[in-house]
Amino acid sequence: MAALLREFCTILHVHLIAVFDLIRQLFTPHCYAKGVVNQNGHIAIVTGGASGIGFETTKKLCTNGMRVFIASRSEEEANDAIERIRRDDPEASVEWMYLDLASLMSVRRCASTFKSYDLPLHVLVNNAGVMIPPFMKTEDGFELQFQVNYLGHFLLTLLLSDLLIKTGVHNKCARIVNVSSVAHICEDLDMNNLIDRTFYGKYSSYSNSKFAIILSSYRLHQKLMTRGNHVTVNCVHPGVVNSELFHHYHWALQPLRRICAMLHVLKTPEEGSETSVYVALSTELEGNGGLYFANCVAEKSSSRTYDKCLQNELWDRSIELASVTEKELFYD
């Protein structure tokens, strides 16, 4: 009963936060990525880059001269996305590689595949995600949202960190962009019971996964900066966007979502991608990391995201859960 009550409170909290964010979107001019210059063939990976916000991010990175790898599960969906991008920009350099974030083995294979190309890596956009699905466990035994939104990206980032470190130079840092959400404010993360909850609350699980993204992003940026590496790590909230993430939203609320989209209360995926592109490419942010952005502006995330002890606890637990070896740690 207590767990049900907590989840009910989380649902209310998430929707109140969403309403507040929608009101803010209505009365705040939409900001576009500023200070973006041609990237001259620099390399980027965008997870979930074949649809929604990820597709628009991929498209804009290509437009700005990047060679982009879409990391996603569906080759058919990726090929369709590539075709649409090249229809508008025949010179776009974009290709696909397989990644299933619900499989840590797939994450390892994806990182290995990219490394076999012997390329630098200038930008990693951890964009893919799922929102409030029915309870599912991954092949690794984790709740789906925790692994797809957080743990899979955590492992992918660590496995590619050596390339990012090698690529980043003074005055031209490599960049990691982690897509989180304002819903992180509603978290109830319990470090003592991170995985084996007896009750599945899909809203709290979603909020916790987005909270974990910010905690580990801040910790990773600190580790990189302490070592003098030229790699920055930032988080973004894309806004309340009319995207495929709402696929699992309750059927009774779907008409309201469609009305909000028609009235342009919700952001379009193209608008939602602007902050990711800004953080990935803008010269205004050169060397700046450990920040949280919304509508292309740095903001404060929830106070608990700055808890150093919690950051360290989550980091150490994530290393253990993802079975990261000492060899795979860039700082050992």
Side-chain angles (χ1 to χ4, degrees):
M1 181 60 73
L4 276 170
L5 182 59
R6 277 199 307 273
E7 179 65 7
F8 179 72
C9 291
T10 301
I11 292 170
L12 285 179
H13 196 184
V14 167
H15 283 91
L16 282 172
I17 292 292
V19 168
F20 175 80
D21 215 44
L22 284 171
I23 293 170
R24 188 171 70 157
Q25 284 180 191
L26 273 174
F27 293 99
T28 305
H30 175 69
C31 291
Y32 292 89
K34 308 174 293 293
V36 174
V37 296
N38 190 280
Q39 298 299 303
N40 300 314
H42 283 181
I43 312 296
I45 296 173
V46 181
T47 68
S51 62
I53 297 169
F55 170 76
E56 297 296 342
T57 301
T58 298
K59 187 176 179 180
K60 287 173 183 171
L61 295 183
C62 288
T63 300
N64 285 285
M66 296 204 85
R67 179 181 177 186
V68 184
F69 288 82
I70 293 173
S72 65
R73 284 188 305 169
S74 171
E75 184 175 11
E76 183 181 352
E77 185 180 47
N79 286 337
D80 179 64
I82 291 167
E83 185 181 330
R84 284 187 288 150
I85 289 170
R86 288 183 176 156
R87 198 180 301 148
D88 294 335
D89 180 9
E91 301 302 313
S93 180
V94 55
E95 50 206 284
W96 172 76
M97 59 183 183
Y98 182 78
L99 170 65
D100 180 3
L101 288 159
S103 163
L104 296 180
M105 180 60 71
S106 174
V107 172
R108 292 181 177 280
R109 285 175 181 155
C110 179
S112 178
T113 296
F114 183 78
K115 287 184 173 183
S116 72
Y117 300 150
D118 197 23
L119 294 168
L121 180 58
H122 300 86
V123 173
L124 171 62
V125 183
N126 290 318
N127 164 86
V130 290
M131 186 173 79
I132 59 170
F135 178 74
M136 284 179 271
K137 272 195 171 184
T138 67
E139 65 178 47
D140 302 293
F142 302 116
E143 186 272 319
L144 185 69
Q145 293 184 97
F146 177 78
Q147 181 164 337
V148 171
N149 294 352
Y150 170 64
L151 192 64
H153 281 128
F154 174 86
L155 177 60
L156 181 67
T157 302
L158 278 187
L159 295 175
L160 295 174
S161 289
D162 56 342
L163 280 183
L164 289 156
I165 289 168
K166 198 182 297 184
T167 302
V169 294
H170 181 62
N171 291 332
K172 188 61 178 176
C173 290
R175 302 189 188 190
I176 300 167
V177 183
N178 291 328
V179 178
S180 182
S181 167
V182 71
H184 80 272
I185 294 170
C186 310
E187 57 80 27
D188 66 345
L189 191 66
D190 179 2
M191 290 303 302
N192 295 318
N193 195 18
L194 190 60
I195 303 303
D196 300 319
R197 293 192 169 204
T198 54
F199 172 80
Y200 172 63
K202 56 187 179 181
Y203 280 87
S204 58
S205 294
Y206 177 73
S207 299
N208 287 341
S209 71
K210 295 299 183 178
F211 177 71
I213 288 169
I214 300 176
L215 275 179
S216 68
S217 296
Y218 291 168
R219 189 70 188 99
L220 176 58
H221 181 75
Q222 184 184 29
K223 283 181 176 290
L224 289 163
M225 290 300 102
T226 299
R227 287 173 49 89
N229 300 130
H230 301 297
V231 183
T232 59
V233 189
N234 287 298
C235 297
V236 305
H237 164 51
V240 186
V241 180
N242 183 34
S243 74
E244 293 173 8
L245 277 181
F246 281 99
H247 173 70
H248 296 292
Y249 209 47
H250 195 282
W251 64 267
L253 295 172
Q254 292 291 359
L256 179 60
R257 175 175 76 96
R258 286 192 286 270
I259 290 168
C260 287
M262 285 170 56
L263 296 174
H264 302 290
V265 176
L266 299 176
K267 287 192 176 188
T268 64
E270 182 179 5
E271 290 171 334
S273 69
E274 286 290 339
T275 303
S276 292
V277 174
Y278 174 67
V279 174
L281 300 185
S282 179
T283 55
E284 295 180 353
L285 300 181
E286 185 55 57
N288 293 318
L291 301 170
Y292 171 82
F293 289 83
N295 200 28
C296 298
V297 176
E299 297 184 348
K300 287 287 185 184
S301 51
S302 70
S303 58
R304 203 165 175 236
T305 59
Y306 299 100
D307 184 326
K308 302 283 189 193
C309 291
L310 199 56
Q311 290 174 12
N312 288 332
E313 281 185 69
L314 178 64
W315 183 272
D316 292 342
R317 188 82 171 101
S318 301
I319 293 289
E320 177 189 336
L321 294 173
S323 301
V324 179
T325 66
E326 285 188 18
K327 261 187 193 178
E328 292 168 336
L329 292 175
F330 65 87
Y331 48 86
D332 281 349

